[in-house]
Amino acid sequence: MTTIQDIADKLGISKSAVSKALNNAPDISETLQKQVLETAVEMGYTKLRRYKKPVRKLCIIVQRDNIEYEEPHHFAYDIVMGFRQAAEPSGCEVAVVPVDVALQREVSYDAFMLQHDFSGAFLLGFSLGEPWMQDLKTSHTPAALYDNHIIGNPMTTYVGIDNEEGMNLAVRHLKELGHKKIGYISSALGSHIMQVRHRAFFQAMRSHGLKADPSYAGCSYYLSECMEKHLPRFLDMGMTAIICCQDTFASAAITQCRQLGYRVPADISIIGFDDIPMSAYTDPPLTTIRQNRIQLGKSGFDALRMLMNGVPIGTVLLHAELITRGSAGISYPG
Amino acid sequence: MTTIQDIADKLGISKSAVSKALNNAPDISETLQKQVLETAVEMGYTKLRRYKKPVRKLCIIVQRDNIEYEEPHHFAYDIVMGFRQAAEPSGCEVAVVPVDVALQREVSYDAFMLQHDFSGAFLLGFSLGEPWMQDLKTSHTPAALYDNHIIGNPMTTYVGIDNEEGMNLAVRHLKELGHKKIGYISSALGSHIMQVRHRAFFQAMRSHGLKADPSYAGCSYYLSECMEKHLPRFLDMGMTAIICCQDTFASAAITQCRQLGYRVPADISIIGFDDIPMSAYTDPPLTTIRQNRIQLGKSGFDALRMLMNGVPIGTVLLHAELITRGSAGISYPG
């Protein structure tokens, strides 16, 4: 185990200089502090391991360019709330830290965590290519990641809902309503979650004995392309129901179907994914698969606690939940 | 929420008779007790919800025909230990209950749990077709299941290792050692886990840029068929490495390769799965993917605690771990 003395020896400076640098003392140069932090990270030094203190300071790191959390109608608001609800009664302090790519370029993830004395992090909204996602492959600080999966680092955990189960519930519901020809509309398959949901759609169709060749899915980066190309194609093919990769797409699909002269759900049923707050207020209100965001936040804390207790937990998935509102209805043989 | 009064009303008997039946009082007939239990289960009655007492009595239910746990060299021994290590300091009582199919036919799962006052269960070794696996689809009692996945019941959680990650680590290790032609030997694909590992093999090969057509896997119910049919076929095809679905198969493969005149690992590398206790004592000792059984037991308890706290957790996967011993070595271009 790396000690402050080890770092001092390596850099040829005093133990107290190392200690000052690690604790943000004002009387130390920025250059030296940077050097100490980098060396400490490189040598695998962590305060948590060193002092064996009970764990207290945690952070929720939000990639603010990708996910919003500040107001109740924002997607991540309840995730942050749920984490706090679970963490604070356990005696942990929770800081919410918005970051962007510029900050990630400036300081490495481990150095950031060490500098601010955080024992663990819950990360929201990161894309695969960002600098800290690279750092997390080898980080020594426990981290739970919402909807991101890092292979092979026992100090990281993926937290999310079970998208396969969710897709299964959606297809089962439509089948029970009499639908047989069901299409899937998705944004581009660039993220882990979009890939998982796309694969899950075909799996769910197969396991319910329904036909689904590749033409039954339409994926485009642009929402407009999904609405103007894939949706009309599905209607021409005689689809009676469409599952969308997320609620915003489903909401747009309802509007677009109506503009094309189709009634929802009398002519075509629509199911969304996520149950974002606006989904109760579309017309008709959206039948969708809920990501329970309060529970996702709580699970984030539970997963982090397990990691901090030495349980090398890698994946924690919440049960998905079907919320039936008005946008999916009975299919009458035409 | 169903009350004792509701059950009494439904059966047209007194509240105290219901209470006696639920608490195994001696002065109640077996027939009446059975009737009360069945009605209570049917009406969704649970003691946990009714009294809101802190949770205390848990059980580990072991399907004794499928999995052994009584001695240190048995597979499930450490799983039971790990569960106890996590549960008992939290103030829970843990009973280990071996069951077989006959018992499952005699009494339903929920009735059994209610009768013995268990608030939650960790189930080991159940096959998909057994009676209690059916009951668990609609059970109201929190249950964590080792290596079994029940879709759609928010009161059940699947606990296991991340087999995709494990297969990835195995293939990556072999690739780093210079292997390109890698085969996969598996028992029949009748269980959830065997299906997952089989799919994961092909995924891992693809993601490492290695060729793997269907002929690269050999699956048979009989170990002898794997050794006498698939293994020689792989050797004829010029494979330099073989991954086996479990350590017992890998151990047999080492012996069989030697009998066919091949040296392990000089001519052919073998990797197992599970890291059962005997794997350190094969000749050469087995390189394998560890299922950390103590941590699996701890995760079982953590998952159960989350369920009992109302977090609808569905899947908890531990990180897989590559254990390098002697059975996989460098591939020299022949």
Side-chain angles (χ1 to χ4, degrees), chain B residues 183-186 215-220 223-239 241-244 249-262 264 268-270:
Chain B
Y184 178 61
I185 284 185
S186 173
S215 71
Y216 281 42
C219 311
S220 293
L223 174 65
S224 58
E225 199 168 301
C226 285
M227 294 305 127
E228 286 158 28
K229 194 176 114 187
H230 303 307
L231 185 69
R233 178 167 68 80
F234 285 179
L235 295 169
D236 286 347
M237 287 167 74
M239 303 271 182
I242 296 172
I243 299 171
C244 295
F249 280 58
S251 164
I254 291 177
T255 308
Q256 179 73 348
C257 284
R258 190 170 300 130
Q259 282 176 354
L260 294 169
Y262 289 77
V264 177
I268 181 109
S269 288
I270 307 280

mmCIF file of all heavy atoms in Angstrom, chain B residues 183-186 215-220 223-239 241-244 249-262 264 268-270:
data_model
loop_
_atom_site.group_PDB
_atom_site.id
_atom_site.type_symbol
_atom_site.label_atom_id
_atom_site.label_comp_id
_atom_site.label_asym_id
_atom_site.label_seq_id
_atom_site.Cartn_x
_atom_site.Cartn_y
_atom_site.Cartn_z
ATOM 1 N N GLY B 183 -11.374 -22.434 -29.362
ATOM 2 C CA GLY B 183 -12.654 -23.147 -29.369
ATOM 3 C C GLY B 183 -13.354 -23.052 -28.023
ATOM 4 O O GLY B 183 -12.748 -22.656 -27.023
ATOM 5 N N TYR B 184 -14.632 -23.408 -28.006
ATOM 6 C CA TYR B 184 -15.412 -23.361 -26.764
ATOM 7 C C TYR B 184 -16.154 -24.672 -26.575
ATOM 8 O O TYR B 184 -16.907 -25.115 -27.450
ATOM 9 C CB TYR B 184 -16.413 -22.204 -26.821
ATOM 10 C CG TYR B 184 -17.290 -22.101 -25.596
ATOM 11 C CD1 TYR B 184 -16.728 -21.879 -24.340
ATOM 12 C CD2 TYR B 184 -18.672 -22.234 -25.676
ATOM 13 C CE1 TYR B 184 -17.518 -21.788 -23.208
ATOM 14 C CE2 TYR B 184 -19.481 -22.143 -24.548
ATOM 15 C CZ TYR B 184 -18.885 -21.918 -23.316
ATOM 16 O OH TYR B 184 -19.666 -21.828 -22.195
ATOM 17 N N ILE B 185 -15.921 -25.315 -25.441
ATOM 18 C CA ILE B 185 -16.595 -26.578 -25.128
ATOM 19 C C ILE B 185 -17.593 -26.344 -24.008
ATOM 20 O O ILE B 185 -17.253 -25.754 -22.981
ATOM 21 C CB ILE B 185 -15.559 -27.663 -24.733
ATOM 22 C CG1 ILE B 185 -14.851 -28.165 -26.002
ATOM 23 C CG2 ILE B 185 -16.221 -28.817 -23.988
ATOM 24 C CD1 ILE B 185 -13.892 -29.304 -25.769
ATOM 25 N N SER B 186 -18.818 -26.795 -24.209
ATOM 26 C CA SER B 186 -19.879 -26.520 -23.236
ATOM 27 C C SER B 186 -20.758 -27.735 -23.032
ATOM 28 O O SER B 186 -20.934 -28.554 -23.937
ATOM 29 C CB SER B 186 -20.743 -25.366 -23.752
ATOM 30 O OG SER B 186 -21.870 -25.181 -22.935
ATOM 31 N N SER B 215 -18.889 -23.614 -35.849
ATOM 32 C CA SER B 215 -18.135 -24.852 -35.618
ATOM 33 C C SER B 215 -17.078 -24.689 -34.521
ATOM 34 O O SER B 215 -16.482 -25.663 -34.076
ATOM 35 C CB SER B 215 -17.455 -25.299 -36.913
ATOM 36 O OG SER B 215 -16.384 -24.414 -37.226
ATOM 37 N N TYR B 216 -16.846 -23.449 -34.075
ATOM 38 C CA TYR B 216 -15.861 -23.201 -33.020
ATOM 39 C C TYR B 216 -16.401 -23.529 -31.634
ATOM 40 O O TYR B 216 -15.673 -23.432 -30.642
ATOM 41 C CB TYR B 216 -15.381 -21.748 -33.049
ATOM 42 C CG TYR B 216 -14.344 -21.460 -34.110
ATOM 43 C CD1 TYR B 216 -14.451 -21.985 -35.392
ATOM 44 C CD2 TYR B 216 -13.231 -20.660 -33.828
ATOM 45 C CE1 TYR B 216 -13.503 -21.728 -36.364
ATOM 46 C CE2 TYR B 216 -12.271 -20.392 -34.804
ATOM 47 C CZ TYR B 216 -12.417 -20.931 -36.066
ATOM 48 O OH TYR B 216 -11.475 -20.669 -37.026
ATOM 49 N N ALA B 217 -17.683 -23.874 -31.523
ATOM 50 C CA ALA B 217 -18.243 -24.296 -30.243
ATOM 51 C C ALA B 217 -18.713 -25.738 -30.357
ATOM 52 O O ALA B 217 -19.208 -26.154 -31.401
ATOM 53 C CB ALA B 217 -19.405 -23.404 -29.839
ATOM 54 N N GLY B 218 -18.523 -26.497 -29.293
ATOM 55 C CA GLY B 218 -19.026 -27.865 -29.242
ATOM 56 C C GLY B 218 -19.797 -28.050 -27.944
ATOM 57 O O GLY B 218 -19.225 -27.888 -26.864
ATOM 58 N N CYS B 219 -21.079 -28.350 -28.050
ATOM 59 C CA CYS B 219 -21.933 -28.449 -26.862
ATOM 60 C C CYS B 219 -22.585 -29.818 -26.804
ATOM 61 O O CYS B 219 -23.244 -30.225 -27.769
ATOM 62 C CB CYS B 219 -23.040 -27.399 -26.892
ATOM 63 S SG CYS B 219 -22.458 -25.737 -27.245
ATOM 64 N N SER B 220 -22.454 -30.516 -25.688
ATOM 65 C CA SER B 220 -23.125 -31.808 -25.513
ATOM 66 C C SER B 220 -23.513 -31.998 -24.064
ATOM 67 O O SER B 220 -22.821 -31.533 -23.161
ATOM 68 C CB SER B 220 -22.200 -32.966 -25.910
ATOM 69 O OG SER B 220 -21.944 -32.940 -27.291
ATOM 70 N N LEU B 223 -20.404 -35.195 -20.839
ATOM 71 C CA LEU B 223 -18.990 -34.824 -20.795
ATOM 72 C C LEU B 223 -18.187 -35.705 -21.753
ATOM 73 O O LEU B 223 -17.311 -35.228 -22.479
ATOM 74 C CB LEU B 223 -18.466 -34.986 -19.353
ATOM 75 C CG LEU B 223 -16.968 -34.790 -19.138
ATOM 76 C CD1 LEU B 223 -16.558 -33.356 -19.445
ATOM 77 C CD2 LEU B 223 -16.583 -35.130 -17.699
ATOM 78 N N SER B 224 -18.520 -37.014 -21.779
ATOM 79 C CA SER B 224 -17.761 -37.945 -22.616
ATOM 80 C C SER B 224 -17.852 -37.541 -24.094
ATOM 81 O O SER B 224 -16.868 -37.626 -24.832
ATOM 82 C CB SER B 224 -18.285 -39.368 -22.428
ATOM 83 O OG SER B 224 -19.670 -39.412 -22.756
ATOM 84 N N GLU B 225 -19.020 -37.079 -24.507
ATOM 85 C CA GLU B 225 -19.187 -36.680 -25.900
ATOM 86 C C GLU B 225 -18.329 -35.444 -26.197
ATOM 87 O O GLU B 225 -17.722 -35.333 -27.268
ATOM 88 C CB GLU B 225 -20.665 -36.385 -26.180
ATOM 89 C CG GLU B 225 -21.002 -36.413 -27.658
ATOM 90 C CD GLU B 225 -22.508 -36.406 -27.903
ATOM 91 O OE1 GLU B 225 -23.189 -37.337 -27.413
ATOM 92 O OE2 GLU B 225 -22.993 -35.462 -28.550
ATOM 93 N N CYS B 226 -18.264 -34.515 -25.232
ATOM 94 C CA CYS B 226 -17.412 -33.331 -25.409
ATOM 95 C C CYS B 226 -15.956 -33.743 -25.582
ATOM 96 O O CYS B 226 -15.237 -33.194 -26.416
ATOM 97 C CB CYS B 226 -17.546 -32.399 -24.200
ATOM 98 S SG CYS B 226 -19.089 -31.480 -24.181
ATOM 99 N N MET B 227 -15.524 -34.733 -24.789
ATOM 100 C CA MET B 227 -14.117 -35.123 -24.802
ATOM 101 C C MET B 227 -13.776 -35.988 -26.010
ATOM 102 O O MET B 227 -12.676 -35.906 -26.549
ATOM 103 C CB MET B 227 -13.769 -35.894 -23.514
ATOM 104 C CG MET B 227 -13.869 -35.054 -22.259
ATOM 105 S SD MET B 227 -12.862 -33.550 -22.365
ATOM 106 C CE MET B 227 -14.059 -32.278 -21.958
ATOM 107 N N GLU B 228 -14.728 -36.811 -26.433
ATOM 108 C CA GLU B 228 -14.415 -37.769 -27.491
ATOM 109 C C GLU B 228 -14.803 -37.268 -28.871
ATOM 110 O O GLU B 228 -14.305 -37.763 -29.873
ATOM 111 C CB GLU B 228 -15.090 -39.119 -27.181
ATOM 112 C CG GLU B 228 -14.346 -39.842 -26.052
ATOM 113 C CD GLU B 228 -15.216 -40.879 -25.348
ATOM 114 O OE1 GLU B 228 -16.139 -41.422 -25.995
ATOM 115 O OE2 GLU B 228 -14.974 -41.125 -24.136
ATOM 116 N N LYS B 229 -15.688 -36.295 -28.934
ATOM 117 C CA LYS B 229 -16.114 -35.795 -30.234
ATOM 118 C C LYS B 229 -15.573 -34.379 -30.489
ATOM 119 O O LYS B 229 -14.817 -34.149 -31.420
ATOM 120 C CB LYS B 229 -17.655 -35.810 -30.299
ATOM 121 C CG LYS B 229 -18.216 -35.644 -31.699
ATOM 122 C CD LYS B 229 -19.740 -35.766 -31.695
ATOM 123 C CE LYS B 229 -20.381 -34.442 -32.063
ATOM 124 N NZ LYS B 229 -21.837 -34.447 -31.915
ATOM 125 N N HIS B 230 -15.969 -33.425 -29.629
ATOM 126 C CA HIS B 230 -15.616 -32.025 -29.903
ATOM 127 C C HIS B 230 -14.124 -31.740 -29.736
ATOM 128 O O HIS B 230 -13.515 -31.060 -30.561
ATOM 129 C CB HIS B 230 -16.425 -31.086 -29.009
ATOM 130 C CG HIS B 230 -17.901 -31.265 -29.158
ATOM 131 N ND1 HIS B 230 -18.528 -31.224 -30.387
ATOM 132 C CD2 HIS B 230 -18.878 -31.521 -28.241
ATOM 133 C CE1 HIS B 230 -19.826 -31.430 -30.217
ATOM 134 N NE2 HIS B 230 -20.060 -31.616 -28.929
ATOM 135 N N LEU B 231 -13.529 -32.255 -28.666
ATOM 136 C CA LEU B 231 -12.123 -31.950 -28.402
ATOM 137 C C LEU B 231 -11.210 -32.415 -29.547
ATOM 138 O O LEU B 231 -10.419 -31.613 -30.073
ATOM 139 C CB LEU B 231 -11.696 -32.551 -27.049
ATOM 140 C CG LEU B 231 -10.284 -32.205 -26.587
ATOM 141 C CD1 LEU B 231 -10.180 -30.726 -26.229
ATOM 142 C CD2 LEU B 231 -9.903 -33.040 -25.360
ATOM 143 N N PRO B 232 -11.307 -33.699 -29.990
ATOM 144 C CA PRO B 232 -10.460 -34.122 -31.120
ATOM 145 C C PRO B 232 -10.733 -33.295 -32.388
ATOM 146 O O PRO B 232 -9.816 -32.985 -33.141
ATOM 147 C CB PRO B 232 -10.863 -35.588 -31.329
ATOM 148 C CG PRO B 232 -11.457 -36.029 -30.041
ATOM 149 C CD PRO B 232 -12.088 -34.819 -29.440
ATOM 150 N N ARG B 233 -11.975 -32.934 -32.600
ATOM 151 C CA ARG B 233 -12.325 -32.105 -33.761
ATOM 152 C C ARG B 233 -11.582 -30.768 -33.683
ATOM 153 O O ARG B 233 -11.003 -30.298 -34.674
ATOM 154 C CB ARG B 233 -13.842 -31.888 -33.779
ATOM 155 C CG ARG B 233 -14.361 -31.000 -34.900
ATOM 156 C CD ARG B 233 -15.881 -31.091 -35.055
ATOM 157 N NE ARG B 233 -16.640 -30.533 -33.938
ATOM 158 C CZ ARG B 233 -16.877 -29.235 -33.745
ATOM 159 N NH1 ARG B 233 -16.388 -28.347 -34.600
ATOM 160 N NH2 ARG B 233 -17.577 -28.816 -32.709
ATOM 161 N N PHE B 234 -11.582 -30.149 -32.500
ATOM 162 C CA PHE B 234 -10.881 -28.867 -32.316
ATOM 163 C C PHE B 234 -9.386 -29.020 -32.597
ATOM 164 O O PHE B 234 -8.763 -28.160 -33.225
ATOM 165 C CB PHE B 234 -11.074 -28.338 -30.897
ATOM 166 C CG PHE B 234 -12.442 -27.751 -30.633
ATOM 167 C CD1 PHE B 234 -12.767 -27.259 -29.374
ATOM 168 C CD2 PHE B 234 -13.400 -27.671 -31.639
ATOM 169 C CE1 PHE B 234 -14.022 -26.708 -29.123
ATOM 170 C CE2 PHE B 234 -14.658 -27.124 -31.397
ATOM 171 C CZ PHE B 234 -14.969 -26.648 -30.130
ATOM 172 N N LEU B 235 -8.802 -30.117 -32.105
ATOM 173 C CA LEU B 235 -7.365 -30.331 -32.309
ATOM 174 C C LEU B 235 -7.077 -30.503 -33.802
ATOM 175 O O LEU B 235 -6.119 -29.930 -34.328
ATOM 176 C CB LEU B 235 -6.897 -31.543 -31.498
ATOM 177 C CG LEU B 235 -6.995 -31.357 -29.966
ATOM 178 C CD1 LEU B 235 -6.767 -32.683 -29.240
ATOM 179 C CD2 LEU B 235 -6.014 -30.294 -29.465
ATOM 180 N N ASP B 236 -7.940 -31.235 -34.483
ATOM 181 C CA ASP B 236 -7.785 -31.416 -35.931
ATOM 182 C C ASP B 236 -7.897 -30.088 -36.681
ATOM 183 O O ASP B 236 -7.260 -29.888 -37.717
ATOM 184 C CB ASP B 236 -8.866 -32.368 -36.483
ATOM 185 C CG ASP B 236 -8.585 -33.815 -36.109
ATOM 186 O OD1 ASP B 236 -7.443 -34.087 -35.659
ATOM 187 O OD2 ASP B 236 -9.502 -34.654 -36.236
ATOM 188 N N MET B 237 -8.744 -29.196 -36.157
ATOM 189 C CA MET B 237 -8.942 -27.905 -36.818
ATOM 190 C C MET B 237 -7.763 -26.958 -36.590
ATOM 191 O O MET B 237 -7.744 -25.836 -37.111
ATOM 192 C CB MET B 237 -10.215 -27.217 -36.287
ATOM 193 C CG MET B 237 -11.528 -27.839 -36.774
ATOM 194 S SD MET B 237 -12.963 -27.216 -35.824
ATOM 195 C CE MET B 237 -13.142 -25.554 -36.493
ATOM 196 N N GLY B 238 -6.809 -27.377 -35.739
ATOM 197 C CA GLY B 238 -5.644 -26.525 -35.488
ATOM 198 C C GLY B 238 -5.858 -25.477 -34.406
ATOM 199 O O GLY B 238 -5.136 -24.484 -34.336
ATOM 200 N N MET B 239 -6.854 -25.696 -33.547
ATOM 201 C CA MET B 239 -7.052 -24.795 -32.409
ATOM 202 C C MET B 239 -5.812 -24.846 -31.517
ATOM 203 O O MET B 239 -5.235 -25.913 -31.307
ATOM 204 C CB MET B 239 -8.250 -25.249 -31.557
ATOM 205 C CG MET B 239 -9.552 -25.358 -32.324
ATOM 206 S SD MET B 239 -10.406 -23.789 -32.280
ATOM 207 C CE MET B 239 -11.899 -24.199 -33.197
ATOM 208 N N ALA B 241 -6.091 -23.114 -28.447
ATOM 209 C CA ALA B 241 -6.625 -22.863 -27.106
ATOM 210 C C ALA B 241 -8.102 -23.248 -27.058
ATOM 211 O O ALA B 241 -8.818 -23.139 -28.051
ATOM 212 C CB ALA B 241 -6.465 -21.399 -26.735
ATOM 213 N N ILE B 242 -8.530 -23.693 -25.873
ATOM 214 C CA ILE B 242 -9.934 -24.085 -25.674
ATOM 215 C C ILE B 242 -10.421 -23.498 -24.354
ATOM 216 O O ILE B 242 -9.757 -23.635 -23.323
ATOM 217 C CB ILE B 242 -10.079 -25.626 -25.653
ATOM 218 C CG1 ILE B 242 -9.686 -26.202 -27.025
ATOM 219 C CG2 ILE B 242 -11.503 -26.038 -25.289
ATOM 220 C CD1 ILE B 242 -9.618 -27.714 -27.058
ATOM 221 N N ILE B 243 -11.576 -22.833 -24.424
ATOM 222 C CA ILE B 243 -12.233 -22.360 -23.203
ATOM 223 C C ILE B 243 -13.352 -23.342 -22.886
ATOM 224 O O ILE B 243 -14.071 -23.763 -23.789
ATOM 225 C CB ILE B 243 -12.815 -20.945 -23.403
ATOM 226 C CG1 ILE B 243 -11.695 -19.957 -23.739
ATOM 227 C CG2 ILE B 243 -13.583 -20.487 -22.163
ATOM 228 C CD1 ILE B 243 -12.188 -18.574 -24.165
ATOM 229 N N CYS B 244 -13.452 -23.739 -21.612
ATOM 230 C CA CYS B 244 -14.498 -24.681 -21.218
ATOM 231 C C CYS B 244 -15.530 -23.969 -20.350
ATOM 232 O O CYS B 244 -15.204 -23.069 -19.584
ATOM 233 C CB CYS B 244 -13.908 -25.860 -20.453
ATOM 234 S SG CYS B 244 -12.803 -26.855 -21.478
ATOM 235 N N PHE B 249 -15.112 -29.619 -16.821
ATOM 236 C CA PHE B 249 -14.861 -29.894 -18.231
ATOM 237 C C PHE B 249 -13.408 -29.571 -18.589
ATOM 238 O O PHE B 249 -12.766 -30.302 -19.346
ATOM 239 C CB PHE B 249 -15.817 -29.092 -19.127
ATOM 240 C CG PHE B 249 -17.185 -29.685 -19.241
ATOM 241 C CD1 PHE B 249 -17.962 -29.909 -18.117
ATOM 242 C CD2 PHE B 249 -17.712 -30.041 -20.478
ATOM 243 C CE1 PHE B 249 -19.234 -30.459 -18.215
ATOM 244 C CE2 PHE B 249 -18.981 -30.608 -20.591
ATOM 245 C CZ PHE B 249 -19.741 -30.809 -19.458
ATOM 246 N N ALA B 250 -12.896 -28.473 -18.047
ATOM 247 C CA ALA B 250 -11.518 -28.069 -18.344
ATOM 248 C C ALA B 250 -10.532 -29.094 -17.805
ATOM 249 O O ALA B 250 -9.544 -29.443 -18.451
ATOM 250 C CB ALA B 250 -11.244 -26.689 -17.755
ATOM 251 N N SER B 251 -10.817 -29.586 -16.609
ATOM 252 C CA SER B 251 -9.948 -30.578 -15.995
ATOM 253 C C SER B 251 -9.938 -31.857 -16.826
ATOM 254 O O SER B 251 -8.881 -32.438 -17.108
ATOM 255 C CB SER B 251 -10.449 -30.836 -14.569
ATOM 256 O OG SER B 251 -9.908 -32.012 -14.072
ATOM 257 N N ALA B 252 -11.102 -32.284 -17.273
ATOM 258 C CA ALA B 252 -11.186 -33.466 -18.134
ATOM 259 C C ALA B 252 -10.464 -33.214 -19.457
ATOM 260 O O ALA B 252 -9.801 -34.108 -19.998
ATOM 261 C CB ALA B 252 -12.648 -33.828 -18.384
ATOM 262 N N ALA B 253 -10.559 -31.993 -19.981
ATOM 263 C CA ALA B 253 -9.921 -31.664 -21.262
ATOM 264 C C ALA B 253 -8.401 -31.753 -21.152
ATOM 265 O O ALA B 253 -7.730 -32.216 -22.079
ATOM 266 C CB ALA B 253 -10.351 -30.268 -21.718
ATOM 267 N N ILE B 254 -7.850 -31.305 -20.005
ATOM 268 C CA ILE B 254 -6.398 -31.415 -19.812
ATOM 269 C C ILE B 254 -5.974 -32.882 -19.918
ATOM 270 O O ILE B 254 -5.038 -33.236 -20.653
ATOM 271 C CB ILE B 254 -5.981 -30.843 -18.432
ATOM 272 C CG1 ILE B 254 -6.154 -29.323 -18.417
ATOM 273 C CG2 ILE B 254 -4.547 -31.231 -18.093
ATOM 274 C CD1 ILE B 254 -5.844 -28.680 -17.073
ATOM 275 N N THR B 255 -6.679 -33.748 -19.199
ATOM 276 C CA THR B 255 -6.358 -35.178 -19.207
ATOM 277 C C THR B 255 -6.487 -35.765 -20.614
ATOM 278 O O THR B 255 -5.600 -36.483 -21.094
ATOM 279 C CB THR B 255 -7.319 -35.929 -18.253
ATOM 280 O OG1 THR B 255 -7.286 -35.274 -16.988
ATOM 281 C CG2 THR B 255 -6.918 -37.372 -18.094
ATOM 282 N N GLN B 256 -7.563 -35.422 -21.266
ATOM 283 C CA GLN B 256 -7.834 -35.974 -22.590
ATOM 284 C C GLN B 256 -6.787 -35.508 -23.609
ATOM 285 O O GLN B 256 -6.322 -36.301 -24.434
ATOM 286 C CB GLN B 256 -9.250 -35.560 -23.036
ATOM 287 C CG GLN B 256 -9.664 -36.047 -24.405
ATOM 288 C CD GLN B 256 -9.963 -37.548 -24.425
ATOM 289 O OE1 GLN B 256 -9.666 -38.276 -23.478
ATOM 290 N NE2 GLN B 256 -10.537 -38.008 -25.526
ATOM 291 N N CYS B 257 -6.405 -34.216 -23.548
ATOM 292 C CA CYS B 257 -5.380 -33.708 -24.473
ATOM 293 C C CYS B 257 -4.089 -34.495 -24.294
ATOM 294 O O CYS B 257 -3.441 -34.886 -25.265
ATOM 295 C CB CYS B 257 -5.119 -32.227 -24.224
ATOM 296 S SG CYS B 257 -6.409 -31.163 -24.882
ATOM 297 N N ARG B 258 -3.724 -34.714 -23.026
ATOM 298 C CA ARG B 258 -2.489 -35.445 -22.765
ATOM 299 C C ARG B 258 -2.567 -36.858 -23.344
ATOM 300 O O ARG B 258 -1.618 -37.346 -23.959
ATOM 301 C CB ARG B 258 -2.202 -35.474 -21.260
ATOM 302 C CG ARG B 258 -0.813 -36.007 -20.946
ATOM 303 C CD ARG B 258 -0.420 -35.815 -19.488
ATOM 304 N NE ARG B 258 -0.424 -34.416 -19.108
ATOM 305 C CZ ARG B 258 -1.032 -33.930 -18.021
ATOM 306 N NH1 ARG B 258 -1.665 -34.738 -17.197
ATOM 307 N NH2 ARG B 258 -0.981 -32.650 -17.750
ATOM 308 N N GLN B 259 -3.729 -37.485 -23.175
ATOM 309 C CA GLN B 259 -3.881 -38.845 -23.705
ATOM 310 C C GLN B 259 -3.813 -38.883 -25.224
ATOM 311 O O GLN B 259 -3.424 -39.884 -25.814
ATOM 312 C CB GLN B 259 -5.195 -39.464 -23.209
ATOM 313 C CG GLN B 259 -5.031 -39.941 -21.765
ATOM 314 C CD GLN B 259 -6.311 -40.474 -21.171
ATOM 315 O OE1 GLN B 259 -7.356 -40.399 -21.800
ATOM 316 N NE2 GLN B 259 -6.227 -41.009 -19.965
ATOM 317 N N LEU B 260 -4.176 -37.768 -25.846
ATOM 318 C CA LEU B 260 -4.100 -37.696 -27.310
ATOM 319 C C LEU B 260 -2.719 -37.233 -27.779
ATOM 320 O O LEU B 260 -2.508 -37.001 -28.964
ATOM 321 C CB LEU B 260 -5.186 -36.761 -27.850
ATOM 322 C CG LEU B 260 -6.640 -37.232 -27.651
ATOM 323 C CD1 LEU B 260 -7.624 -36.123 -27.972
ATOM 324 C CD2 LEU B 260 -6.930 -38.475 -28.508
ATOM 325 N N GLY B 261 -1.782 -37.055 -26.799
ATOM 326 C CA GLY B 261 -0.407 -36.735 -27.168
ATOM 327 C C GLY B 261 -0.113 -35.245 -27.264
ATOM 328 O O GLY B 261 0.915 -34.842 -27.825
ATOM 329 N N TYR B 262 -0.966 -34.429 -26.714
ATOM 330 C CA TYR B 262 -0.735 -32.972 -26.728
ATOM 331 C C TYR B 262 -0.312 -32.520 -25.330
ATOM 332 O O TYR B 262 -0.858 -32.994 -24.327
ATOM 333 C CB TYR B 262 -2.016 -32.227 -27.118
ATOM 334 C CG TYR B 262 -2.400 -32.393 -28.570
ATOM 335 C CD1 TYR B 262 -3.006 -33.572 -29.019
ATOM 336 C CD2 TYR B 262 -2.166 -31.366 -29.492
ATOM 337 C CE1 TYR B 262 -3.359 -33.723 -30.352
ATOM 338 C CE2 TYR B 262 -2.528 -31.512 -30.826
ATOM 339 C CZ TYR B 262 -3.129 -32.691 -31.249
ATOM 340 O OH TYR B 262 -3.484 -32.838 -32.558
ATOM 341 N N VAL B 264 -0.121 -29.661 -22.385
ATOM 342 C CA VAL B 264 -0.816 -28.465 -21.895
ATOM 343 C C VAL B 264 0.140 -27.729 -20.971
ATOM 344 O O VAL B 264 0.616 -28.321 -20.007
ATOM 345 C CB VAL B 264 -2.107 -28.852 -21.132
ATOM 346 C CG1 VAL B 264 -2.783 -27.607 -20.568
ATOM 347 C CG2 VAL B 264 -3.057 -29.635 -22.021
ATOM 348 N N ILE B 268 -1.350 -26.920 -26.402
ATOM 349 C CA ILE B 268 -2.731 -26.422 -26.355
ATOM 350 C C ILE B 268 -3.021 -25.807 -24.978
ATOM 351 O O ILE B 268 -2.642 -26.362 -23.956
ATOM 352 C CB ILE B 268 -3.730 -27.567 -26.699
ATOM 353 C CG1 ILE B 268 -5.183 -27.071 -26.677
ATOM 354 C CG2 ILE B 268 -3.599 -28.759 -25.756
ATOM 355 C CD1 ILE B 268 -5.826 -26.982 -28.014
ATOM 356 N N SER B 269 -3.630 -24.638 -24.982
ATOM 357 C CA SER B 269 -3.980 -23.956 -23.736
ATOM 358 C C SER B 269 -5.433 -24.237 -23.386
ATOM 359 O O SER B 269 -6.287 -24.314 -24.268
ATOM 360 C CB SER B 269 -3.778 -22.445 -23.879
ATOM 361 O OG SER B 269 -2.401 -22.135 -23.918
ATOM 362 N N ILE B 270 -5.689 -24.379 -22.085
ATOM 363 C CA ILE B 270 -7.055 -24.670 -21.609
ATOM 364 C C ILE B 270 -7.430 -23.632 -20.543
ATOM 365 O O ILE B 270 -6.641 -23.357 -19.640
ATOM 366 C CB ILE B 270 -7.131 -26.076 -20.970
ATOM 367 C CG1 ILE B 270 -6.592 -27.165 -21.904
ATOM 368 C CG2 ILE B 270 -8.551 -26.380 -20.486
ATOM 369 C CD1 ILE B 270 -7.530 -27.619 -22.975
#
